[in-house]
Amino acid sequence: MNFRFLILLITITFAYDKVKAESQTEKSITLEDETLIQDIKFSEAFLEAPVIYITLTKLSMAGQKYGFEIDITDVNTKGFKLIYRKYINDPITLQVQWLAIFDPRVEVAYYTSFKQQLIVPVYEDNFAYSIIGLQGSSSQVGIQVEKIDNGNAYLQVTNSVKMIKLCIISGSKHALYPKFIPFSVSNNHPWLKEQKGKAFINFSYDLNVNQPILIGGITEFLFKSQSIKIQLQNLKYDDKVLAEIGTWNDAQLVQAQVSILAYIIDEDLIISDKNCVELFEQCYFQGKSTKICKEGDAQSLEKEFKFRSFIVPRYKQFELANNKDVQQLMGIESCVDEIILK
């Protein structure tokens, strides 16, 4: 669809916030009642409400029957609410880590499925996920990515799982560096012989970036015992990503997978010039770009400009007209159908 620039309506003259992020690991909580609500406050307020990526880093239950769910509500510039729910009689111990991001290169979504196959949209095939809700009864829980096709990831869930809830983050390869770490323990590994004490395995991998914000989550586990206990801890970056995953007491973990996400904050990326619309050739604000600051700027382009993402300053509106058809662009859009400006 071809459009020409018509008019930019200006109602106020200040810009979006710079890219901003904050991460924290919450203390372990044990659910005795059906519902527990936590109020989370950011250390500094965001100018715009961020998206929240949440991961499960600890799960402890007395048996193989599980039923829990973690939810996020009331997200605003100052914080949000964490809601824990359990659907079984026995207590459940959970620990979560969260990452709050104001960055148009990143999307976060929550999916609940009662089927064995889950189809979710992902951007740039660049994503990570964590289990934040389960119902079922088995010593094995797992998710496999079968394929990625036309912007959708096809995930296969273990047959014994009756309900699964995932938090999925996806975005630009310039912002997110996800990695899934699967491993197994042989029968003669000292870990399997460990009883009544902590047993953790250390692992590491190289990540060639500068000072990332790290967040990890549990995506798969297999136990030999009747109790389910798994924890991802001591996640840090020092030339390499370092982490520990394991169990304690008499729970014998023999197979697991975790997702580790490195988020790179671009402190130089200012979300929009205060008076100009910014148009980008590619999704997630990549590729060549052009600015439209006043009526007539579009007509001065040497040739047509195709764009897939855009940033319109706060409280402003960008109108594109083609004959009698008018399309209004507002806010931030990280990936849209191609629009041609000429």
Side-chain angles (χ1 to χ4, degrees):
M1 185 177 293
N2 296 337
F3 289 95
R4 63 179 177 84
F5 175 68
L6 179 64
I7 191 168
L8 176 65
L9 302 178
I10 298 177
T11 59
I12 199 166
T13 58
F14 59 86
Y16 282 95
D17 198 1
K18 290 185 177 181
V19 167
K20 180 178 172 64
E22 182 176 339
S23 179
Q24 183 169 302
T25 301
E26 297 297 324
K27 294 181 179 178
S28 297
I29 59 99
T30 299
L31 296 179
E32 300 285 353
D33 300 324
E34 292 182 355
T35 304
L36 176 65
I37 300 177
Q38 284 184 328
D39 285 313
I40 307 298
K41 300 298 182 183
F42 302 132
S43 60
E44 293 183 2
F46 287 72
L47 183 58
E48 299 283 331
V51 296
I52 309 295
Y53 177 54
I54 186 169
T55 65
L56 180 65
T57 57
K58 182 178 182 179
L59 171 61
S60 176
M61 292 181 288
Q64 293 177 359
K65 183 177 181 181
Y66 39 80
F68 70 90
E69 185 177 1
I70 304 168
D71 209 355
I72 300 290
T73 64
D74 298 341
V75 180
N76 56 59
T77 58
K78 296 181 179 180
F80 60 95
K81 292 184 186 296
L82 263 175
I83 302 179
Y84 302 86
R85 297 184 179 93
K86 74 180 182 78
Y87 305 112
I88 59 175
N89 293 327
D90 295 332
I92 300 176
T93 298
L94 303 171
Q95 185 178 37
V96 302
Q97 185 180 13
W98 54 264
L99 173 64
I101 301 176
F102 176 73
D103 187 336
R105 303 171 299 169
V106 176
E107 299 281 352
V108 173
Y110 301 84
Y111 295 93
T112 301
S113 177
F114 297 90
K115 300 179 180 180
Q116 265 58 64
Q117 189 180 65
L118 183 61
I119 303 174
V120 299
V122 293
Y123 296 98
E124 295 195 8
D125 301 342
N126 196 52
F127 66 99
Y129 57 84
S130 178
I131 297 171
I132 58 170
L134 277 174
Q135 288 188 39
S137 180
S138 174
S139 61
Q140 182 175 8
V141 172
I143 304 170
Q144 291 184 342
V145 180
E146 289 189 325
K147 64 177 180 178
I148 301 174
D149 185 37
N150 291 326
N152 289 318
Y154 292 76
L155 308 179
Q156 186 67 33
V157 183
T158 306
N159 290 334
S160 59
V161 175
K162 305 303 180 185
M163 180 279 284
I164 192 164
K165 182 175 182 178
L166 302 178
C167 184
I168 297 181
I169 186 170
S170 63
S172 169
K173 292 180 174 65
H174 298 271
L176 302 181
Y177 294 79
K179 190 173 183 67
F180 293 92
I181 312 292
F183 62 90
S184 59
V185 180
S186 61
N187 289 332
N188 61 356
H189 196 282
W191 197 357
L192 290 182
K193 300 176 183 178
E194 184 86 16
Q195 294 292 327
K196 301 300 180 184
K198 287 190 175 182
F200 282 86
I201 285 180
N202 300 311
F203 63 89
S204 67
Y205 65 92
D206 292 320
L207 179 66
N208 296 319
V209 298
N210 292 322
Q211 298 301 317
I213 299 175
L214 296 177
I215 182 170
I218 299 167
T219 60
E220 181 178 304
F221 52 85
L222 171 63
F223 283 85
K224 289 187 67 175
S225 63
Q226 294 301 309
S227 59
I228 297 176
K229 300 177 187 291
I230 182 172
Q231 184 171 12
L232 172 67
Q233 65 177 23
N234 295 333
L235 189 62
K236 60 183 180 179
Y237 177 75
D238 184 10
D239 295 331
K240 292 184 177 182
V241 176
L242 307 172
E244 295 178 343
I245 185 171
T247 185
W248 60 98
N249 296 336
D250 57 350
Q252 296 179 344
L253 176 68
V254 295
Q255 182 176 305
Q257 177 178 268
V258 297
S259 64
I260 307 294
L261 177 75
Y263 167 70
I264 310 301
I265 188 168
D266 185 350
E267 295 180 348
D268 295 327
L269 179 59
I270 299 176
I271 309 305
S272 181
D273 183 291
K274 67 180 180 179
N275 290 314
C276 300
V277 173
E278 296 172 79
L279 310 175
F280 300 83
E281 278 190 330
Q282 301 174 16
C283 290
Y284 283 98
F285 320 100
Q286 303 300 316
K288 293 181 180 179
S289 65
T290 190
K291 288 186 178 183
I292 304 296
C293 301
K294 63 182 183 301
E295 187 172 359
D297 282 358
Q299 282 83 355
S300 65
L301 294 175
E302 295 181 359
K303 59 180 182 179
E304 66 182 24
F305 186 81
K306 302 177 181 179
F307 64 96
R308 296 287 310 278
S309 56
F310 61 83
I311 302 173
V312 179
R314 299 174 72 223
Y315 307 116
K316 297 180 184 178
Q317 179 176 289
F318 182 52
E319 291 188 351
L320 298 169
N322 181 26
N323 297 324
K324 295 182 179 180
D325 296 328
V326 176
Q327 182 174 358
Q328 297 178 342
L329 306 183
M330 298 180 66
I332 297 174
E333 291 291 345
S334 58
C335 199
V336 298
D337 293 337
E338 185 177 84
I339 300 174
I340 301 176
L341 180 69
K342 71 175 189 177

